[in-house]
Amino acid sequence: MMSAYKGKPLGTIGDFGTYSFHETKNYTMGEGGLFFVNRKKYRDRAEVIREKGTNRKQFFRGEVDKYSWVDFGSSYLPSEMNAAYLFSQLECAEEINRKRLILWNRYYGELEDLQDKGKVELPYIPDDCRHNAHMFYIKVKDLLQRTRLLEYLKRHEIKAVFHYVPLHTSAAGKKFGEFVGEDRYTTAESDRLIRLPMFYALKESEVSYITEMIHRFFKGE
Ligand SMILES: *Cc1c(COP(=O)(O)O)cnc(C)c1O
């Protein structure tokens, strides 16, 4: 959410789009999400699917005199409590996004010299992409260095984490998928990636503390 590719907001490019409002996301309702459609017929069916397969929504609009089962479906409606929790964040969506971008840009600016020295790699944002500062990551040399840096940060009360393991190495990935070609980058890149703290309440001074600790770590390398 709040990102765009060639001026088009993400979620609006194809026939369908989704946003997640999971607790880890920029805007959150604990668990939940948003589904975009671009045609009326998809909207009508989506309404039925999320209402347990019934045309209850049409009934509320007075379009039918009783509601009944008309299709597949399940109970996908969020509770009003969750929706209210999300709604207040959507009212400040711009402000939340602005703050996250400030934090992101600060990380970038304060770590750029380490990238210039070849110690870390920073995220790359192509010119025609507008991002929403969902995460800030750095890439270090390899798995060993990442493990040492994560431990070092933990000792200084910084909770940084590694991220998604490549799907083809997971149990379900092995069962249902396959790796096509030679795994030259996927595993190696995954092994050296670290996510740094990124959330709305994070202070700019805390970002500076974190980047200072990363600099100290690399001084000892
Ligand atoms: C986004 C995300 C989820 C939830 O995604 P949904 O599409 O809302 O199910 C779970 N775990 C992690 C790490 C995520 O980033």
Side-chain angles (χ1 to χ4, degrees), residues 18-25 31-33 134-135 163-164 195:
T18 56
Y19 285 173
S20 170
F21 297 128
H22 182 254
E23 61 168 21
T24 57
K25 300 302 191 280
E31 287 280 5
H134 174 53
M135 58 174 83
H163 203 46
Y164 308 107
R195 275 177 82 172

mmCIF file of all heavy atoms in Angstrom, residues 18-25 31-33 134-135 163-164 195, ligand 1:
data_model
loop_
_atom_site.group_PDB
_atom_site.id
_atom_site.type_symbol
_atom_site.label_atom_id
_atom_site.label_comp_id
_atom_site.label_asym_id
_atom_site.label_seq_id
_atom_site.Cartn_x
_atom_site.Cartn_y
_atom_site.Cartn_z
ATOM 1 N N THR A 18 -4.315 -7.521 -4.107
ATOM 2 C CA THR A 18 -4.569 -7.723 -2.677
ATOM 3 C C THR A 18 -3.588 -6.904 -1.843
ATOM 4 O O THR A 18 -2.450 -6.673 -2.246
ATOM 5 C CB THR A 18 -4.398 -9.204 -2.258
ATOM 6 O OG1 THR A 18 -3.091 -9.640 -2.615
ATOM 7 C CG2 THR A 18 -5.434 -10.089 -2.901
ATOM 8 N N TYR A 19 -4.044 -6.450 -0.717
ATOM 9 C CA TYR A 19 -3.172 -5.866 0.304
ATOM 10 C C TYR A 19 -3.311 -6.730 1.549
ATOM 11 O O TYR A 19 -4.408 -7.249 1.816
ATOM 12 C CB TYR A 19 -3.638 -4.466 0.715
ATOM 13 C CG TYR A 19 -3.353 -3.360 -0.265
ATOM 14 C CD1 TYR A 19 -3.882 -2.096 -0.017
ATOM 15 C CD2 TYR A 19 -2.563 -3.543 -1.384
ATOM 16 C CE1 TYR A 19 -3.648 -1.042 -0.891
ATOM 17 C CE2 TYR A 19 -2.323 -2.489 -2.259
ATOM 18 C CZ TYR A 19 -2.866 -1.252 -2.012
ATOM 19 O OH TYR A 19 -2.639 -0.213 -2.864
ATOM 20 N N SER A 20 -2.229 -6.846 2.279
ATOM 21 C CA SER A 20 -2.292 -7.536 3.564
ATOM 22 C C SER A 20 -2.286 -6.505 4.692
ATOM 23 O O SER A 20 -1.498 -5.558 4.658
ATOM 24 C CB SER A 20 -1.078 -8.463 3.721
ATOM 25 O OG SER A 20 -1.019 -8.956 5.041
ATOM 26 N N PHE A 21 -3.159 -6.710 5.653
ATOM 27 C CA PHE A 21 -3.142 -5.887 6.875
ATOM 28 C C PHE A 21 -2.738 -6.729 8.079
ATOM 29 O O PHE A 21 -3.200 -6.525 9.193
ATOM 30 C CB PHE A 21 -4.516 -5.228 7.096
ATOM 31 C CG PHE A 21 -4.913 -4.274 6.002
ATOM 32 C CD1 PHE A 21 -6.130 -4.398 5.371
ATOM 33 C CD2 PHE A 21 -4.062 -3.254 5.617
ATOM 34 C CE1 PHE A 21 -6.505 -3.520 4.357
ATOM 35 C CE2 PHE A 21 -4.422 -2.365 4.597
ATOM 36 C CZ PHE A 21 -5.637 -2.502 3.972
ATOM 37 N N HIS A 22 -1.890 -7.717 7.801
ATOM 38 C CA HIS A 22 -1.307 -8.558 8.844
ATOM 39 C C HIS A 22 -0.540 -7.680 9.836
ATOM 40 O O HIS A 22 -0.126 -6.569 9.494
ATOM 41 C CB HIS A 22 -0.355 -9.543 8.147
ATOM 42 C CG HIS A 22 0.308 -10.527 9.041
ATOM 43 N ND1 HIS A 22 1.639 -10.417 9.389
ATOM 44 C CD2 HIS A 22 -0.162 -11.629 9.635
ATOM 45 C CE1 HIS A 22 1.959 -11.440 10.167
ATOM 46 N NE2 HIS A 22 0.883 -12.183 10.332
ATOM 47 N N GLU A 23 -0.323 -8.193 11.021
ATOM 48 C CA GLU A 23 0.324 -7.383 12.071
ATOM 49 C C GLU A 23 1.717 -6.879 11.691
ATOM 50 O O GLU A 23 2.198 -5.909 12.269
ATOM 51 C CB GLU A 23 0.438 -8.203 13.362
ATOM 52 C CG GLU A 23 1.286 -9.455 13.173
ATOM 53 C CD GLU A 23 1.663 -10.129 14.481
ATOM 54 O OE1 GLU A 23 0.974 -9.895 15.481
ATOM 55 O OE2 GLU A 23 2.642 -10.876 14.484
ATOM 56 N N THR A 24 2.375 -7.523 10.729
ATOM 57 C CA THR A 24 3.732 -7.104 10.353
ATOM 58 C C THR A 24 3.738 -5.973 9.322
ATOM 59 O O THR A 24 4.800 -5.495 8.955
ATOM 60 C CB THR A 24 4.503 -8.286 9.725
ATOM 61 O OG1 THR A 24 3.737 -8.757 8.594
ATOM 62 C CG2 THR A 24 4.693 -9.423 10.707
ATOM 63 N N LYS A 25 2.570 -5.539 8.859
ATOM 64 C CA LYS A 25 2.526 -4.616 7.723
ATOM 65 C C LYS A 25 2.456 -3.136 8.147
ATOM 66 O O LYS A 25 2.246 -2.816 9.305
ATOM 67 C CB LYS A 25 1.325 -4.966 6.840
ATOM 68 C CG LYS A 25 1.385 -6.383 6.283
ATOM 69 C CD LYS A 25 2.652 -6.620 5.451
ATOM 70 C CE LYS A 25 2.625 -7.913 4.672
ATOM 71 N NZ LYS A 25 2.954 -9.108 5.485
ATOM 72 N N GLU A 31 -4.990 -9.427 11.718
ATOM 73 C CA GLU A 31 -5.088 -10.288 10.538
ATOM 74 C C GLU A 31 -6.167 -9.689 9.650
ATOM 75 O O GLU A 31 -7.204 -9.250 10.143
ATOM 76 C CB GLU A 31 -5.519 -11.708 10.916
ATOM 77 C CG GLU A 31 -4.457 -12.536 11.594
ATOM 78 C CD GLU A 31 -3.430 -13.142 10.646
ATOM 79 O OE1 GLU A 31 -3.469 -12.838 9.424
ATOM 80 O OE2 GLU A 31 -2.592 -13.907 11.142
ATOM 81 N N GLY A 32 -5.934 -9.692 8.366
ATOM 82 C CA GLY A 32 -6.949 -9.184 7.459
ATOM 83 C C GLY A 32 -6.309 -8.676 6.190
ATOM 84 O O GLY A 32 -5.084 -8.662 6.070
ATOM 85 N N GLY A 33 -7.139 -8.268 5.259
ATOM 86 C CA GLY A 33 -6.583 -7.782 4.004
ATOM 87 C C GLY A 33 -7.640 -7.097 3.162
ATOM 88 O O GLY A 33 -8.793 -6.938 3.584
ATOM 89 N N HIS A 134 8.396 -0.416 3.536
ATOM 90 C CA HIS A 134 7.883 -1.540 4.333
ATOM 91 C C HIS A 134 8.990 -2.151 5.169
ATOM 92 O O HIS A 134 8.795 -2.477 6.330
ATOM 93 C CB HIS A 134 7.254 -2.596 3.432
ATOM 94 C CG HIS A 134 6.854 -3.825 4.176
ATOM 95 N ND1 HIS A 134 6.050 -3.772 5.298
ATOM 96 C CD2 HIS A 134 7.166 -5.130 4.005
ATOM 97 C CE1 HIS A 134 5.883 -4.997 5.771
ATOM 98 N NE2 HIS A 134 6.549 -5.832 5.016
ATOM 99 N N MET A 135 10.166 -2.317 4.580
ATOM 100 C CA MET A 135 11.277 -2.870 5.344
ATOM 101 C C MET A 135 12.579 -2.214 4.918
ATOM 102 O O MET A 135 12.665 -1.663 3.821
ATOM 103 C CB MET A 135 11.364 -4.388 5.152
ATOM 104 C CG MET A 135 11.539 -4.846 3.734
ATOM 105 S SD MET A 135 11.805 -6.639 3.620
ATOM 106 C CE MET A 135 10.143 -7.270 3.682
ATOM 107 N N HIS A 163 15.428 -13.147 7.074
ATOM 108 C CA HIS A 163 14.085 -13.149 6.516
ATOM 109 C C HIS A 163 13.770 -14.436 5.779
ATOM 110 O O HIS A 163 14.455 -15.426 5.947
ATOM 111 C CB HIS A 163 13.885 -11.904 5.655
ATOM 112 C CG HIS A 163 12.453 -11.560 5.505
ATOM 113 N ND1 HIS A 163 11.585 -11.542 6.566
ATOM 114 C CD2 HIS A 163 11.725 -11.270 4.427
ATOM 115 C CE1 HIS A 163 10.382 -11.236 6.117
ATOM 116 N NE2 HIS A 163 10.432 -11.070 4.831
ATOM 117 N N TYR A 164 12.706 -14.367 4.979
ATOM 118 C CA TYR A 164 12.182 -15.550 4.290
ATOM 119 C C TYR A 164 13.282 -16.505 3.806
ATOM 120 O O TYR A 164 14.238 -16.068 3.187
ATOM 121 C CB TYR A 164 11.365 -15.123 3.065
ATOM 122 C CG TYR A 164 10.308 -14.115 3.356
ATOM 123 C CD1 TYR A 164 10.471 -12.790 2.950
ATOM 124 C CD2 TYR A 164 9.163 -14.469 4.046
ATOM 125 C CE1 TYR A 164 9.484 -11.856 3.212
ATOM 126 C CE2 TYR A 164 8.180 -13.541 4.303
ATOM 127 C CZ TYR A 164 8.346 -12.225 3.888
ATOM 128 O OH TYR A 164 7.392 -11.304 4.144
ATOM 129 N N ARG A 195 17.219 -7.881 8.142
ATOM 130 C CA ARG A 195 16.207 -6.810 8.241
ATOM 131 C C ARG A 195 16.435 -6.015 9.509
ATOM 132 O O ARG A 195 16.547 -6.576 10.588
ATOM 133 C CB ARG A 195 14.806 -7.418 8.319
ATOM 134 C CG ARG A 195 14.213 -7.721 6.981
ATOM 135 C CD ARG A 195 12.871 -8.375 7.150
ATOM 136 N NE ARG A 195 11.816 -7.385 7.390
ATOM 137 C CZ ARG A 195 10.523 -7.706 7.424
ATOM 138 N NH1 ARG A 195 10.132 -8.960 7.284
ATOM 139 N NH2 ARG A 195 9.607 -6.787 7.622
HETATM 140 C C1 LIG B 1 2.557 -10.374 5.175
HETATM 141 C C2 LIG B 1 3.037 -11.443 5.981
HETATM 142 C C3 LIG B 1 2.137 -12.394 6.498
HETATM 143 C C4 LIG B 1 0.652 -12.381 6.202
HETATM 144 O O1 LIG B 1 0.288 -12.236 4.892
HETATM 145 P P1 LIG B 1 -1.250 -12.363 4.505
HETATM 146 O O2 LIG B 1 -1.267 -12.169 3.037
HETATM 147 O O3 LIG B 1 -2.003 -11.290 5.262
HETATM 148 O O4 LIG B 1 -1.674 -13.734 4.935
HETATM 149 C C5 LIG B 1 2.666 -13.369 7.307
HETATM 150 N N1 LIG B 1 3.977 -13.422 7.608
HETATM 151 C C6 LIG B 1 4.859 -12.515 7.141
HETATM 152 C C7 LIG B 1 6.305 -12.609 7.515
HETATM 153 C C8 LIG B 1 4.414 -11.503 6.312
HETATM 154 O O5 LIG B 1 5.303 -10.600 5.861
#
